[in-house]
Amino acid sequence: MSVPRRRFHAPIIAVSVDRSIVKNDIYQAFFDMIRVTVVEIEGCMASSAAITYDVIATANRISAAAKRALPFNVTTVRCGPRRNRAQLRGTELAIVPGLGTWSADELDRKLKSPACRRAGEMLVEAFESGAALAASCASTFLLAEAKLLDGRRATTTWWLAPLFRRRYPQVDLTDRMVVADWPIATGGAAMAQMDLMLAIVDRFAGPRLAKACANYLLLDERRSQAPFMAISHLAGQHPKIAKAEKWVRDNIARDFAMEELAEAVALAPRTFARRIAATCGVSPIQFVQRIRVETARYLLETTRLSVEEIARQVGYAEPSTLRRLMRRNTKHSPGYFRPIT
């Protein structure tokens, strides 16, 4: 299935970085107005919905300032406990903001609710009629429940990723901030709605307008959720893994084998590895590395200890090892986390 074809017309006009000067760009064309429906499910995350409308409004304002036709025509469909006659007929793109759930149990209850079931039915109908779909955070579960993500690459909020993998093994889940596997795009945690919306503008109105929106909203490109993952939050979802986290923190300054860690929580090494993967989505070695990097970051932000001393305190004899792991896990060098004085 392909995204509806768009017709090209006049040259696009991009807004400069200072947002005060409009410049012609003869190399980019713009599209016809696309019909967008925002599907708000009862209790959805207000910030996620607001971001959706704000980015679309920004794209339209920039286009209006350039005396162009507006790229997006937006309507809203709200799904509540009562069944209504709302449909997505004629929609070219349906966007589902985050569901606004705060636990796995709450998410499970919400997915079984009449509102989510009706929304899922509408999204399937729209998709089969040729509409593209986009969802972020826990709303990605709604698409997966409807089998719309089977065999596709997708992403979801980092703290629900282990649950997503268990429920939907047929989906190729990544830790990317946005996976634009058109005609379906998915975003990560709640504020990834902004990244998802920029991907939508890029797809349907062109990369130059998406860049102009990012400049106007002062947004940086973020490719992965990995730097923002809190290992403590994930570990706390399973008593054995929570115990393992505490053991690692208590023994963080010394070298130890993964077999010793598994033994400390009374699990066989292979069982421990499976539990870690199911709960946190990482291997035992990555689990320990995340805790060490997290601790090192805290020490960088709150003390004047040298990188060499911090490396020793978190179990690395060579500071180069800590530097390498910090770059891999946070995308920044240790110096980035030093407070400004």
Side-chain angles (χ1 to χ4, degrees):
M1 184 178 296
S2 61
V3 174
R5 285 186 170 273
R6 320 298 299 157
R7 294 194 301 276
F8 289 91
H9 292 296
I12 197 171
I13 299 179
V15 174
S16 63
V17 173
D18 67 5
R19 308 190 298 276
S20 63
I21 302 173
V22 177
K23 295 182 179 180
N24 288 315
D25 186 341
I26 63 173
Y27 298 107
Q28 179 70 26
F30 69 82
F31 305 113
D32 282 340
M33 184 176 287
I34 183 169
R35 296 185 297 277
V36 180
T37 302
V38 180
V39 181
E40 292 189 17
I41 298 170
E42 183 185 31
C44 74
M45 187 168 286
S47 59
S48 184
I51 287 168
T52 301
Y53 296 115
D54 285 348
V55 174
I56 289 175
T58 299
N60 281 346
R61 281 197 298 269
I62 291 173
S63 299
K67 301 188 185 306
R68 300 178 49 236
L70 305 187
F72 297 107
N73 177 20
V74 186
T75 59
T76 302
V77 166
R78 292 182 174 87
C79 295
R82 295 182 179 178
R83 188 175 182 87
N84 57 44
R85 297 181 179 179
Q87 293 182 333
L88 302 182
R89 186 173 297 136
T91 294
E92 295 174 271
L93 170 65
I95 303 172
V96 190
L99 291 179
T101 56
W102 300 100
S103 70
D105 289 341
E106 183 184 359
L107 173 60
D108 187 62
R109 288 193 299 271
K110 193 155 193 175
L111 290 172
K112 294 174 181 175
S113 70
C116 277
R117 287 183 176 178
R118 174 57 181 152
E121 292 170 1
M122 290 193 297
L123 291 169
V124 169
E125 291 171 3
F127 186 71
E128 290 176 348
S129 297
L133 308 178
S136 70
C137 201
S139 290
T140 57
F141 281 72
L142 187 64
L143 300 186
E145 281 289 306
K147 308 295 184 182
L148 291 166
L149 297 180
D150 286 7
R152 291 184 173 277
R153 294 179 66 248
T155 189
T156 191
T157 180
W158 60 267
W159 68 276
L160 287 172
L163 174 63
F164 191 102
R165 287 191 177 93
R166 293 196 298 272
R167 289 181 69 128
Y168 316 113
Q170 64 275 30
V171 181
D172 181 10
L173 191 70
T174 78
D175 69 354
R176 305 267 306 176
M177 196 70 70
V178 172
V179 173
D181 189 9
W182 294 111
I184 298 179
T186 50
M191 292 301 105
Q193 186 73 15
M194 186 72 77
D195 306 83
L196 178 64
M197 291 307 300
L198 291 177
I200 287 170
V201 175
D202 182 293
R203 175 68 173 182
F204 292 97
R208 291 185 185 275
L209 184 55
K211 178 64 174 175
C213 289
N215 290 342
Y216 186 88
L217 297 167
L218 300 179
L219 302 176
D220 294 325
E221 184 178 23
R222 304 177 300 171
R223 294 185 178 275
S224 172
Q225 297 183 82
F228 310 101
M229 288 175 155
I231 202 71
S232 297
H233 180 92
L234 295 172
Q237 298 179 75
H238 191 287
K240 289 281 189 180
I241 306 307
K243 184 177 180 181
E245 183 207 1
K246 183 180 184 304
W247 190 93
V248 172
R249 294 188 187 279
D250 290 344
N251 294 272
I252 198 168
R254 70 179 184 86
D255 189 25
F256 53 81
M258 294 303 103
E259 290 78 9
E260 184 180 356
L261 173 56
E263 184 180 356
V265 295
L267 290 174
R270 289 186 178 180
T271 302
F272 179 62
R274 287 196 297 270
R275 295 277 177 85
I276 284 278
T279 305
C280 301
V282 295
S283 68
I285 291 175
Q286 290 171 327
F287 178 75
V288 173
Q289 288 175 343
R290 291 278 178 86
I291 294 172
R292 283 178 163 154
V293 167
E294 182 183 288
T295 304
R297 176 174 173 173
Y298 174 78
L299 292 172
L300 287 164
E301 292 172 338
T302 61
T303 75
R304 294 181 178 275
L305 294 173
S306 67
V307 174
E308 290 73 15
E309 177 58 29
I310 290 174
R312 285 193 292 272
Q313 288 199 20
V314 299
Y316 294 121
E318 296 296 330
S320 60
T321 303
L322 176 62
R323 289 190 175 95
R324 175 174 53 81
L325 290 172
M326 290 203 75
R327 284 190 177 278
R328 179 193 299 170
N329 286 279
T330 72
K331 311 306 178 186
H332 296 291
S333 65
Y336 177 86
F337 300 102
R338 290 295 194 189
I340 299 175
T341 56

